[in-house]
Amino acid sequence: MRFRPFCKSTEASELLADAIECRSMHVSDLLNKIAFFEVSPDLASLSAAERQALSHCVRAADLVTEVYLRQVSSDNPMFREQLAARTDSEARDLLTYFELNGGPWDQFNANRPFLSNAGPKVEGGSFYPSDLNAGEWEQWLVRHPEDRSRFENPLTVIRRSGDRLVALPYNDVYRDFLEQIAKELRSAASLLPSDKLSRSLLLRADALLSNDYWDSDVAWVDTDGYPFEVTLGPYESYTDDRFGIKAAFEALLALPDRETSEYLRELSSRVPAFDRILADRFDYRPKGSSISLEVVHELYRGGEASAGRCFTAFNLPNDRSFQEVKGSKNVLSRTMMEAKFTMIGAFIAERLLKNDDLDKYVFNNRMLFVLTHELAHGIGPGVVKHNGREININIVLRDLYSPIEEVRANVLGAALLQYLVTEGLLESNDLLKCVVTEVVGFIQDLRLGYAETHSISSMVQYNWLKAMGALKYDRSSKVIDIDGERALVAMTELGDECIRIQLGGSYERAKAFVERWRAVPQEIVDISDALADLPYEVRPIYHLDLAARDEHSR
């Protein structure tokens, strides 16, 4: 049966159910929806010793992928082994698609299994017993309050032991792989001068085996990307689609973009002052003063960073208590931003924007919005009073935390842009240009389905801006009309609402908000249908990994 990007329905639940039935493609067709591009980095800036150190980090990133695959499903090694044992062309394509998705469930197709023996994807992967539900989870914590800190720790796995639930630390569950990763990081550090990177690698090696990442996160935030960037560890909780607590392992290796980083650091230096303004308005503790920022050219990815939707930027670590003391680090991948902009976004913009808005759709505007989005992740409230104790907001809002946080970061990023205008660092017209690029970003996200965190976030924002008169889709011309001034006002109001929801700490209020604003209007279905010939996602093909493995093997 031929693939259609979305089925005709106006309810999100119906659309997703229909998608399971109608999005049926041969694996070669699925691969054709991905725009592959080559990454051949120039390593001239690295010495021979630094290149050798990099080869150890590449090996570590590959081992991180092994851990991540097992976090998604304990059956993943079996599925991969079965595919690798086959010699037919379909098996090769299936193995490639398996690697793209981090398992046999299509992240671009509502996690539908594309292997006949895979079965439905279990929510929460292997972080929890497959039969554990929210009711049993809450009841256990009420009866066993002494377990709460271990169970809600993002670095533990929950298992059954007889009639009990137990929390096992990552350093025990994944020890075999973590010992190998630590060995590679120590080998890399031994080849580097005693500087920020070598210290960060040594402390991260220790953290992998102790499950205590505080000191290594401090050291990592203080690194400056020289001679190359190494982000490696358990960070994001997107893979935990059950409770949104457990962190998946990921890795990114990259070279610094010196010129762009210097320019954007001037903007990021104003973030603590903006956070203090918000903290006074909403009565929360502002974050730490360290706002580290790097723009990078990618060398390699591993783990969650290499599966499904590839991030363009991140702000880490996510631990709010850490952010309040130290701050965070923002890393923006120029490689991925440019690829998504030129290979997907530009074609969407040509079809959906008016001519005067199309002129505003340029790469630097997109990069500015991505920057402030990531910076906004590092500010705002992090904890809330709940049942007489202070608790991280993500624990209270559970699976709804990530989509609400993505909405908040986006619209708060727009507010940050407005603040930078008042500081004389940007022109007011830059704001309107950035808004245009973000509306195109909504459509890019929504073409990947309606259930993933970023897609839900984009749907909420699209509907909110539409309700406030900032967006209007003309069915006759098939163009989105954007009122930039109204959009900025609407984004500010939406940001305030998200902060109030987070500080309120009510799961039911968060649920009502998300359910109201994530409904999929028919126009989004029509827009997606009209863009069906375009790729959904990009994927790098790294040439460094071959050179690094050859050097490592010698």
Side-chain angles (χ1 to χ4, degrees), residues 88-388:
D88 55 291
S89 60
E90 182 186 46
R92 290 194 295 271
D93 285 346
L94 285 169
L95 183 57
T96 297
Y97 207 60
F98 176 99
E99 292 170 344
L100 289 178
N101 284 279
W105 298 280
D106 191 347
Q107 294 197 39
F108 311 113
N109 186 4
N111 280 322
R112 180 188 181 193
F114 54 87
L115 294 184
S116 59
N117 61 333
K121 184 178 183 298
V122 176
E123 285 189 350
S126 66
F127 294 126
Y128 310 96
S130 60
D131 58 347
L132 177 67
N133 58 40
E136 182 183 3
W137 170 269
E138 291 296 338
Q139 290 171 15
W140 182 271
L141 294 181
V142 169
R143 293 198 304 267
H144 304 277
E146 70 279 5
D147 286 344
R148 184 174 291 275
S149 63
R150 291 190 298 273
F151 277 46
E152 294 179 345
N153 187 322
L155 307 179
T156 64
V157 169
I158 308 303
R159 294 286 184 261
R160 294 194 185 278
S161 178
D163 59 354
R164 292 184 56 83
L165 292 173
V166 297
L168 305 178
Y170 280 7
N171 57 320
D172 286 344
V173 177
Y174 310 117
R175 176 163 292 275
D176 288 348
F177 289 106
L178 297 184
E179 286 179 343
Q180 296 178 65
I181 297 170
K183 180 180 178 181
E184 297 293 344
L185 296 185
R186 290 181 178 129
S187 296
S190 70
L191 294 163
L192 298 170
S194 298
D195 59 6
K196 292 179 179 179
L197 178 58
S198 62
R199 181 171 184 272
S200 174
L201 294 177
L202 289 172
L203 287 174
R204 183 48 47 105
D206 293 342
L208 291 166
L209 302 181
S210 69
N211 222 38
D212 181 355
Y213 286 80
W214 187 282
D215 289 344
S216 68
D217 277 337
V218 170
W220 174 72
V221 168
D222 287 339
T223 61
D224 55 10
Y226 297 98
F228 51 87
E229 167 63 27
V230 180
T231 301
L232 185 153
Y235 282 117
E236 304 283 14
S237 60
Y238 300 121
T239 298
D240 179 5
D241 50 0
R242 179 170 298 191
F243 298 132
I245 297 174
K246 305 304 178 182
F249 278 86
E250 62 181 306
L252 174 71
L253 311 178
L255 292 174
D257 181 332
R258 293 176 173 84
E259 183 177 353
T260 308
S261 295
E262 286 302 319
Y263 165 66
L264 294 181
R265 280 178 190 138
E266 174 62 22
L267 304 183
S268 67
S269 68
R270 309 300 176 96
V271 174
F274 179 69
D275 191 27
R276 287 192 291 272
I277 293 172
L278 284 176
D280 288 341
R281 280 186 60 205
F282 291 99
D283 191 24
Y284 66 82
R285 290 194 302 270
K287 301 300 183 294
S289 60
S290 177
I291 306 292
S292 177
L293 182 144
E294 294 174 27
V295 180
V296 299
H297 299 284
E298 290 192 18
L299 297 173
Y300 202 71
R301 288 185 180 222
E304 187 183 51
S306 64
R309 183 182 311 210
C310 286
F311 63 74
T312 55
F314 56 78
N315 177 79
L316 296 172
N318 288 320
D319 183 346
R320 292 295 185 170
S321 60
F322 181 95
Q323 290 181 359
E324 289 179 359
V325 174
K326 176 65 177 176
S328 57
K329 178 175 176 176
N330 291 267
V331 176
L332 288 78
S333 168
R334 188 177 187 114
T335 305
M336 195 59 64
M337 279 192 285
E338 287 183 338
K340 293 193 177 192
F341 184 89
T342 59
M343 303 178 77
I344 302 177
F347 294 103
I348 294 174
E350 286 180 357
R351 298 189 192 183
L352 289 182
L353 298 183
K354 299 186 303 182
N355 288 336
D356 55 342
D357 283 336
L358 186 58
D359 293 337
K360 301 170 185 173
Y361 189 76
V362 296
F363 178 72
N364 283 348
N365 299 333
R366 182 60 184 158
M367 184 165 60
L368 269 179
F369 204 105
V370 172
L371 166 68
T372 55
H373 169 101
E374 293 302 330
L375 290 172
H377 274 307
I379 61 179
V383 296
V384 64
K385 290 287 187 180
H386 185 72
N387 293 334

Side-chain angles (χ1 to χ4, degrees), residues 43 46-59 184 187-192 228 547-549 551-554:
L43 301 180
L46 302 182
S47 68
E50 289 167 344
R51 292 189 189 200
Q52 190 176 356
L54 178 61
S55 73
H56 285 290
C57 293
V58 169
R59 174 58 182 156
E184 297 293 344
S187 296
S190 70
L191 294 163
L192 298 170
F228 51 87
R549 283 195 180 92
E551 189 170 341
H552 179 73
S553 65
R554 290 198 296 271

Side-chain angles (χ1 to χ4, degrees), residues 60-114:
D62 285 339
L63 290 164
V64 163
T65 298
E66 293 302 314
V67 177
Y68 168 71
L69 288 175
R70 287 157 176 81
Q71 290 183 307
V72 173
S73 172
S74 57
D75 290 330
N76 264 342
M78 176 196 69
F79 292 132
R80 183 178 56 184
E81 183 178 348
Q82 290 173 348
L83 290 173
R86 292 169 52 181
T87 58
D88 55 291
S89 60
E90 182 186 46
R92 290 194 295 271
D93 285 346
L94 285 169
L95 183 57
T96 297
Y97 207 60
F98 176 99
E99 292 170 344
L100 289 178
N101 284 279
W105 298 280
D106 191 347
Q107 294 197 39
F108 311 113
N109 186 4
N111 280 322
R112 180 188 181 193
F114 54 87

Side-chain angles (χ1 to χ4, degrees), residues 423-448:
E423 292 290 293
L425 295 176
L426 296 175
E427 299 292 332
S428 58
N429 194 42
D430 293 330
L431 293 175
L432 305 180
K433 294 176 181 178
C434 289
V435 169
V436 168
T437 69
E438 185 54 20
V439 172
V440 174
F442 295 162
I443 304 304
Q444 284 183 255
D445 285 342
L446 292 168
R447 294 182 65 239
L448 291 169

